[in-house]
Amino acid sequence: MNNNILSYCDLFQTLTPQQLNKLEQFLHERSLTANETLFAQGDLADAMYIITSGSLEVVLFDSDHKQHPLRTLGVGQYVGEMGLLNQHRRVASVFASQASTVLRLNYADFESLLHNDAQLLKAISEVINPRYQFSQFSSVIRAIFGELNAETSAELQTYFEWVQCDAGHVLFRQDDVADALYLVISGKMQALKRQPDGSEQVVGLVGPSESIGEAALFMNEKRSATVRALRDSQLLRLGKQQLDKVVQRYPQILLNIARSLMQRQHGQVSHSNKAKLSHHTICIVPLQAKVTAQVQTQVLASLTRQLQKSETLLYLNADRFESAFGIVGSARLDTNHLLASRMIQWLQQQENHHTVVLFEADAPVAQEMSEWTRRCIRAADKVVLLGDVSAGPMMSPYEQALRRAYPNVQFELALLHPPTTDSPKNTRAWLTERSTPHPPTHYHVRQDYDADYDRMARRLIGRAYGLVLSGGGARGYAHVGVVRALAEAKIPFDYVGGTSMGAHLAGGLALGFSWEYISSQIAIRGRSHHLLDYTVPIVSVYEGKKVNHAYQETYAEMDIADLWLPYFCISSNLTRAKMMVHEHGSMWRAVRASTCYPGIWSPIQDEAGDWLVDGCMLNNWPVDVMREKIGSGTIIASTVSMEVEFNEDFEIGDSVSGFKLLAQRFVPWRKKRQRLPRLTTTVIRAMELSAIQSYRDQELLADVVVKPDVSKFSVLHFDRFSEIIAVGYAEMQRVLAQPDTISRLSKGVGSD
């Protein structure tokens, strides 16, 4: 009898009698009384059912618990079949409308059949997959267009085209003609905007149940950004002509789309979508034989330990995946295998239950990538290549093959150093070798050095701490006090940047110097007589040899890429009238350019032949630049520039004779010196004005703002460094004592 029912059921019509007999051994009969529930909406799907007598009702409950009948099922029909391919939650409830009997096929029993009979999987998949796709479609449509009944959803599906976007694939480019909108079913997409220098900046992420490209389509404009798949993604495409038909047929959908656009414009993203976009999948790929299995295991263990401090983490290598997935050998299956879709669905489930999924790819074998490595790369938002610095910067044949296979994937680079390494070397060669289309994001990691793994973990998941230090001459020494208070509170920083004096002090932090060491060096090299060498003021007030020597002693011939922490500083380009962000090249020359007050010190020339001066003229407090670098991370921003200055009652008139003032200094009976603004102070203050005007906007981009009151100090009071440092320390302690500060600073990994 069961065999006849199975052959009558369209799910199994393509199976052979032998396969039906095999399947029948795993069927379990269950009787239901009238109105008895077979399973409830929200239950874990662990089986499917075939009706052998009676009938079943399928109903959907909305958010108000109102019941919506969907369909009635009779003898030979089945329900819950998607539970065989993917243990998701039931999307509807099923109960018996009369006394009925069903045959139950458990997920676990079906699992055991798959090991020996791929044909069985193929036959069932061909029937189930269209229904699974419809379930996915209906879920996304409801999330974007609002509640729709089953009939409307079924009709709408005919207008859409399913699109597979492999990892790295560009869906459309900035300035393309808008010809369709897209709905994300699974995966994650990245929106990028082209910058004036030709680079691309990430401006947004789009996850499941979100739409892409509707604004340009409705407004008949060109695409405002390039959209690329961060990982393998499934989309629904609705062309312009099809959209017109849908709107004519269902005009209420237009209202829902308009509402969605308005919410996005005002930054209102649903909590569910925010949660999805805050999840991360990361793949670590060893590059060389020098990255031994032992080293690789150590690296992954250290990274896992750091991530687990704040995240729900799932760490998967090939063996761990097979153990969790439950099918031996599944990690080695081809991506086109019949089980592939089931594996993708399983991985998506894991992402729903873990904020971070960390993949460990297989070690390289010659130039061949394993299927597990391919699967990891295609499922990851970030792919990090793990290289041993002792192997040299040249790309191996394996890495070349990797990049050929995935030309659009933005690989990142983690460089392993021995634990005794003082500072990285030759990093620029590594980046130059891999600079197409631009140098990759890189991490410096010392083995057995937890702080480096801690920093890498925070950067990988968008929880980095960025420290921004403003310019301000000698007043900038207050930043050292700020850093001291942060260190005592055990607040880390993973990215540092600044302008002028802030650029110099941030550089010391990027080298790995402690606040104590920086303070001691200020006492030795930071006094006026070590920095100021007066000269005939034809080009500048100071000659500049002393300050050049101070920077060269500190940074030697180091490249910015060789700093332990990512670093940038700001200068102003006199030649091209634009702001310069220094992220590579000679460290001492970058800092010299950033601290070069025009007229105080002479301009310095860069590699392109342009003349550079102090960054304070265009961006004295570059919080906006840091925000671009660390995205959703936490920014601590310290500024020593006073919004109110020059409020003294100076004893000068509408015109000033320098000769007269000089002569008065030699009059013996003149006891009181006039209150006069110094030339250098006036020039420096004038240069800060335009940057200070933007401080309010910059402040809004920071999470924690520190403004030490250093108004009683001059920008040239280098010899009063101890007092100035103490002011910064006291102010940072005051800010840390505020109730909301610690909550703002507790978003990172390993900040305990």
Side-chain angles (χ1 to χ4, degrees):
M1 172 64 179
N2 287 348
N3 202 302
N4 291 334
I5 289 290
L6 290 179
S7 60
Y8 179 71
C9 176
D10 64 1
L11 184 60
F12 305 117
Q13 283 180 352
T14 61
L15 300 187
T16 65
Q18 292 78 12
Q19 289 172 327
L20 289 173
N21 288 332
K22 186 186 298 185
L23 184 62
E24 187 178 0
Q25 299 172 22
F26 293 92
L27 298 177
H28 307 279
E29 189 170 83
R30 175 181 171 181
S31 298
L32 299 168
T33 59
N35 298 318
E36 182 179 351
T37 298
L38 179 62
F39 56 75
Q41 187 173 326
D43 287 350
L44 183 66
D46 60 352
M48 72 162 288
Y49 302 88
I50 304 164
I51 305 166
T52 57
S53 70
S55 60
L56 303 180
E57 293 292 331
V58 183
V59 298
L60 178 71
F61 291 91
D62 60 23
S63 56
D64 296 325
H65 305 289
K66 186 178 179 181
Q67 181 174 307
H68 300 275
L70 296 182
R71 62 184 183 276
T72 301
L73 303 174
V75 174
Q77 293 184 289
Y78 51 89
V79 68
E81 69 283 358
M82 286 182 288
L84 298 183
L85 291 185
N86 185 17
Q87 286 188 293
H88 57 78
R89 296 285 174 182
R90 301 291 192 186
V91 297
S93 296
V94 176
F95 65 90
S97 52
Q98 57 183 292
S100 307
T101 56
V102 296
L103 297 175
R104 173 186 170 100
L105 176 60
N106 292 331
Y107 177 90
D109 291 337
F110 183 70
E111 190 80 62
S112 65
L113 287 170
L114 302 181
H115 289 290
N116 304 312
D117 200 334
Q119 186 62 33
L120 179 64
L121 174 62
K122 180 179 180 181
I124 296 176
S125 296
E126 287 176 349
V127 177
I128 293 178
N129 281 338
R131 296 189 64 175
Y132 181 71
Q133 281 191 339
F134 177 70
S135 173
Q136 289 180 301
F137 174 84
S138 299
S139 175
V140 171
I141 287 294
R142 283 197 302 271
I144 296 175
F145 295 158
E147 288 295 332
L148 302 170
N149 59 41
E151 292 75 14
T152 302
S153 293
E155 183 178 346
L156 278 176
Q157 189 177 18
T158 63
Y159 293 100
F160 285 84
E161 172 190 355
W162 286 79
V163 176
Q164 177 66 36
C165 248
D166 294 339
H169 174 78
V170 174
L171 183 64
F172 54 74
R173 296 192 178 277
Q174 186 173 334
D175 296 328
D176 282 354
V177 175
D179 60 350
L181 66 82
Y182 298 85
L183 311 181
V184 181
I185 296 290
S186 63
K188 192 180 290 184
M189 308 296 289
Q190 181 184 54
L192 308 105
K193 278 211 170 187
R194 189 167 52 250
Q195 302 303 297
D197 62 0
S199 64
E200 291 182 319
Q201 178 188 338
V202 177
V203 293
L205 297 175
V206 185
S209 297
E210 290 213 310
S211 55
I212 307 172
E214 67 273 31
L217 189 63
F218 276 108
M219 299 177 71
N220 199 27
E221 295 178 344
K222 292 183 177 180
R223 301 293 191 189
S224 60
T226 295
V227 173
R228 176 185 293 125
L230 264 180
R231 65 175 88 154
D232 282 6
S233 304
Q234 270 194 324
L235 311 174
L236 289 168
R237 181 183 187 275
L238 184 63
K240 193 174 189 318
Q241 291 182 346
Q242 287 72 24
L243 175 63
D244 292 340
K245 294 177 182 177
V246 168
V247 170
Q248 289 176 6
R249 184 81 171 85
Y250 303 103
Q252 74 273 19
I253 287 178
L254 183 60
L255 179 61
N256 290 327
I257 295 176
R259 185 179 294 115
S260 175
L261 282 171
M262 291 177 65
Q263 289 174 344
R264 183 177 300 179
Q265 187 176 2
H266 289 85
Q268 300 171 356
V269 181
S270 70
H271 292 296
S272 61
N273 284 342
K274 279 185 178 179
K276 290 174 184 175
L277 294 180
S278 66
H279 291 210
H280 306 272
T281 54
I282 302 162
C283 174
I284 307 295
V285 183
L287 277 184
Q288 314 115 336
K290 283 205 169 190
V291 183
T292 63
Q294 181 180 358
V295 170
Q296 187 175 341
T297 300
Q298 179 187 4
V299 170
L300 268 294
S302 297
L303 196 56
T304 297
R305 186 167 57 250
Q306 303 306 327
L307 286 166
Q308 285 176 331
K309 292 179 180 181
S310 67
E311 306 300 313
T312 54
L313 175 77
L314 177 64
Y315 162 41
L316 294 174
N317 57 23
D319 292 338
R320 285 170 171 262
F321 170 76
E322 290 184 0
S323 175
F325 186 60
I327 300 179
V328 176
S330 55
R332 312 298 175 188
L333 295 177
D334 186 274
T335 52
N336 294 319
H337 191 275
L338 292 170
L339 272 176
S341 62
R342 183 172 180 176
M343 293 165 71
I344 291 172
Q345 293 161 14
W346 185 87
L347 288 172
Q348 288 173 351
Q349 276 189 323
Q350 306 317 305
E351 188 179 348
N352 291 336
H353 295 97
H354 302 86
T355 56
V356 177
V357 178
L358 181 63
F359 293 105
E360 177 186 0
D362 291 330
V365 179
Q367 298 183 35
E368 295 299 320
M369 277 176 285
S370 70
E371 290 300 332
W372 171 246
T373 294
R374 293 178 187 275
R375 187 171 302 284
C376 291
I377 291 173
R378 295 167 71 97
D381 299 332
K382 291 190 176 182
V383 182
V384 182
L385 305 179
L386 188 62
D388 189 313
V389 293
S390 64
M394 297 300 292
M395 278 196 284
S396 65
Y398 176 74
E399 185 178 354
Q400 291 173 8
L402 196 69
R403 291 177 180 276
R404 284 195 301 269
Y406 301 99
N408 294 316
V409 171
Q410 305 298 307
F411 293 104
E412 300 185 356
L413 183 64
L415 296 175
L416 284 176
H417 302 267
T420 56
T421 304
D422 290 330
S423 64
K425 291 179 175 59
N426 205 30
T427 308
R428 195 171 185 180
W430 282 83
L431 302 182
T432 301
E433 178 75 2
R434 297 157 179 82
S435 61
T436 304
H438 50 76
T441 296
H442 69 283
Y443 310 85
H444 289 300
V445 181
R446 285 161 286 194
Q447 296 177 40
D448 302 323
Y449 202 82
D450 281 349
D452 288 351
Y453 292 104
D454 215 356
R455 184 178 306 117
M456 181 178 174
R458 286 190 291 267
R459 290 177 61 197
L460 281 170
I461 62 173
R463 293 198 178 193
Y465 288 94
L467 180 66
V468 183
L469 307 179
S470 77
R475 289 171 167 175
Y477 287 154
H479 298 316
V480 180
V482 169
V483 172
R484 175 189 173 186
L486 290 171
E488 291 176 353
K490 296 184 178 180
I491 304 298
F493 30 85
D494 311 306
Y495 213 129
V496 291
T499 299
S500 200
M501 178 59 81
H504 180 36
L505 296 175
L509 297 172
L511 279 168
F513 295 162
S514 66
W515 74 266
E516 295 98 334
Y517 181 79
I518 293 174
S519 184
S520 69
Q521 291 302 298
I522 289 172
I524 297 171
R525 297 190 178 97
R527 297 176 183 270
S528 298
H529 67 276
H530 286 295
L531 300 174
L532 307 180
D533 43 5
Y534 286 98
T535 186
V536 178
I538 297 175
V539 175
S540 58
V541 174
Y542 303 115
E543 185 176 358
K545 280 187 178 180
K546 286 187 175 182
V547 75
N548 288 354
H549 180 69
Y551 293 151
Q552 288 166 349
E553 274 196 325
T554 302
Y555 304 113
E557 295 304 318
M558 178 172 289
D559 191 277
I560 293 175
D562 288 328
L563 300 172
W564 286 116
L565 273 64
Y567 167 89
F568 70 85
C569 67
I570 304 298
S571 72
S572 302
N573 190 315
L574 287 179
T575 305
R576 305 183 187 279
K578 69 175 185 177
M579 181 180 76
M580 302 289 289
V581 180
H582 299 269
E583 299 178 276
H584 56 78
S586 169
M587 180 64 182
W588 87 262
R589 294 185 71 84
V591 175
R592 171 69 166 80
S594 187
T595 58
C596 181
Y597 285 122
I600 310 301
W601 281 285
S602 60
I604 190 168
Q605 199 170 27
D606 67 5
E607 294 176 351
D610 293 346
W611 292 98
L612 311 179
V613 294
D614 199 299
C616 74
M617 300 180 69
L618 297 178
N619 196 343
N620 197 43
W621 196 28
V623 184
D624 55 340
V625 178
M626 181 63 78
R627 181 55 72 196
E628 290 178 6
K629 303 299 179 188
I630 69 170
S632 59
T634 302
I635 294 179
I636 305 166
S638 176
T639 177
V640 293
S641 289
M642 300 292 100
E643 294 189 28
V644 178
E645 191 82 83
F646 271 64
N647 55 344
E648 299 179 49
D649 187 15
F650 293 122
E651 295 176 314
I652 58 174
D654 295 333
S655 62
V656 180
S657 170
F659 294 107
K660 183 177 179 181
L661 292 174
L662 182 62
Q664 287 176 352
R665 294 195 177 188
F666 294 99
V667 176
W669 57 84
R670 188 177 181 87
K671 296 179 181 180
K672 183 181 177 184
R673 296 184 64 177
Q674 290 177 267
R675 290 191 299 274
L676 302 170
R678 294 184 62 177
L679 171 62
T680 52
T681 304
T682 304
V683 171
I684 291 171
R685 177 61 178 175
M687 288 189 298
E688 290 180 338
L689 294 182
S690 63
I692 289 175
Q693 293 298 311
S694 68
Y695 268 26
R696 182 57 57 86
D697 292 335
Q698 299 281 33
E699 188 172 338
L700 293 173
L701 296 173
D703 297 281
V704 175
V705 174
V706 192
K707 295 181 177 181
D709 183 0
V710 288
S711 57
K712 69 178 182 179
F713 304 102
S714 162
V715 292
L716 295 176
H717 276 161
F718 294 104
D719 296 330
R720 299 179 66 180
F721 62 90
S722 295
E723 298 172 71
I724 298 173
I725 291 173
V727 171
Y729 177 64
E731 179 61 15
M732 188 71 248
Q733 283 189 313
R734 187 193 69 79
V735 172
L736 286 171
Q738 295 175 357
D740 63 334
T741 299
I742 294 300
S743 64
R744 293 180 182 181
L745 292 174
S746 63
K747 298 187 294 183
V749 178
S751 55
D752 52 348

